[in-house]
Amino acid sequence: EAGVTQFPSHSVIEKGQTVTLRCDPISGHDNLYWYRRVMGKEIKFLLHFVKESKQDESGMPNNRFLAERTGGTYSTLKVQPAELEDSGVYFCASSQRWGQGHYEQYFGPGTRLTVT
Amino acid sequence: AQRVTQPEKLLSVFKGAPVELKCNYSYSGSPELFWYVQYSRQRLQLLLRHISRESIKGFTADLNKGETSFHLKKPFAQEEDSAMYYCALLNAGNMLTFGGGTRLMVKP
């Protein structure tokens, strides 16, 4: 079974540019999460999809960040325009059905974003 | 608000020595706690969760609600245990809150 995949593994862009990160969850997983770790800080929650719907986007830092999950499969996270403080590692995770109990979140390898 | 604190950024021990990675939390509800591990060049993976009360790779962790702690322990550290360890709390909305992480270095 393929794990959670993320693309690209590393992105270097200039301040003001746009970057789109992609996450492919494990097949059949309804839940998809985005987290990020900026330099020297904790891994922080950004948002949670259940299928194609945003269940919780309380962690999104501002309106420069836009996440989508059309069709309830893969997800994209767009940063437009990127700022220096957006640099960090963006993780995606997925877990099984939403409902009774909590299921293990499986993490992708992360995308390292560097804004110069 | 929920919070997870790992007071040690780095813990260095010799092979065979006992290991304890500290984790304290604050949460108004009934906590569900996890330890995640990230080995060099690998992705973050679940090590253990408090509800299963199991031992994985020799590691155990006991939830102490009185002290709001979930410390990770291993009686005899191995070199292959060297990694970043993250304590995390899962809230009712399935959101994980992570501590800052502790880098464990096991020296030969």
Side-chain angles (χ1 to χ4, degrees):
Chain A
E1 176 186 281
V4 176
T5 58
Q6 292 186 246
F7 182 82
S9 57
H10 191 184
S11 179
V12 182
I13 60 171
E14 292 184 354
K15 175 182 171 180
Q17 289 186 321
T18 298
V19 63
T20 300
L21 313 181
R22 174 172 169 144
C23 168
D24 285 78
I26 292 172
S27 178
H29 280 193
D30 289 343
N31 298 285
L32 188 149
Y33 311 83
W34 285 97
Y35 296 86
R36 76 170 180 176
R37 180 178 61 216
V38 296
M39 187 65 70
K41 299 286 183 76
E42 299 90 355
I43 300 170
K44 289 203 168 175
F45 168 84
L46 295 178
L47 87 160
H48 169 204
F49 283 100
V50 177
K51 297 184 181 180
E52 67 276 9
S53 300
K54 291 177 185 173
Q55 181 72 22
D56 181 354
E57 52 183 330
S58 61
M60 295 287 264
N62 52 61
N63 59 9
R64 295 185 294 103
F65 289 75
L66 175 64
E68 294 180 322
R69 193 182 181 196
T70 307
T73 54
Y74 71 91
S75 175
T76 57
L77 179 65
K78 181 192 290 188
V79 185
Q80 179 182 30
E83 298 289 345
L84 297 178
E85 63 262 27
D86 300 332
S87 296
V89 181
Y90 289 75
F91 294 100
C92 177
S94 72
S95 68
Q96 293 179 340
R97 289 183 297 109
W98 174 254
Q100 290 186 348
H102 295 292
Y103 295 94
E104 177 180 348
Q105 294 186 23
Y106 295 85
F107 281 77
T111 293
R112 180 172 297 279
L113 175 63
T114 303
V115 183
T116 62
Chain B
Q2 58 200 65
R3 187 176 176 84
V4 177
T5 303
Q6 294 179 250
E8 304 136 330
K9 288 191 183 300
L10 173 65
L11 185 62
S12 184
V13 301
F14 284 102
K15 176 182 173 182
V19 169
E20 183 179 46
L21 291 89
K22 291 184 167 51
C23 172
N24 288 88
Y25 68 91
S26 63
Y27 184 54
S28 56
S30 182
E32 192 165 345
L33 286 148
F34 303 81
W35 277 98
Y36 279 82
V37 61
Q38 188 171 26
Y39 301 103
S40 179
R41 299 188 195 88
Q42 294 187 28
R43 62 188 64 195
L44 204 60
Q45 56 187 283
L46 180 65
L47 179 62
L48 53 80
R49 66 186 77 184
H50 90 270
I51 56 173
S52 54
R53 300 183 65 80
E54 58 196 344
S55 173
I56 303 292
K57 298 184 180 182
F59 285 97
T60 58
D62 290 318
L63 178 61
N64 185 323
K65 292 186 178 180
E67 296 183 357
T68 59
S69 68
F70 187 56
H71 303 326
L72 183 68
K73 300 177 183 179
K74 184 169 183 176
F76 307 104
Q78 302 300 313
E79 288 182 71
E80 55 266 30
D81 296 328
S82 296
M84 279 292 294
Y85 291 80
Y86 295 94
C87 183
L89 183 152
L90 188 72
N91 71 3
N94 249 18
M95 177 182 91
L96 284 169
T97 297
F98 286 89
T102 298
R103 180 169 297 282
L104 174 65
M105 290 179 57
V106 182
K107 297 175 288 189

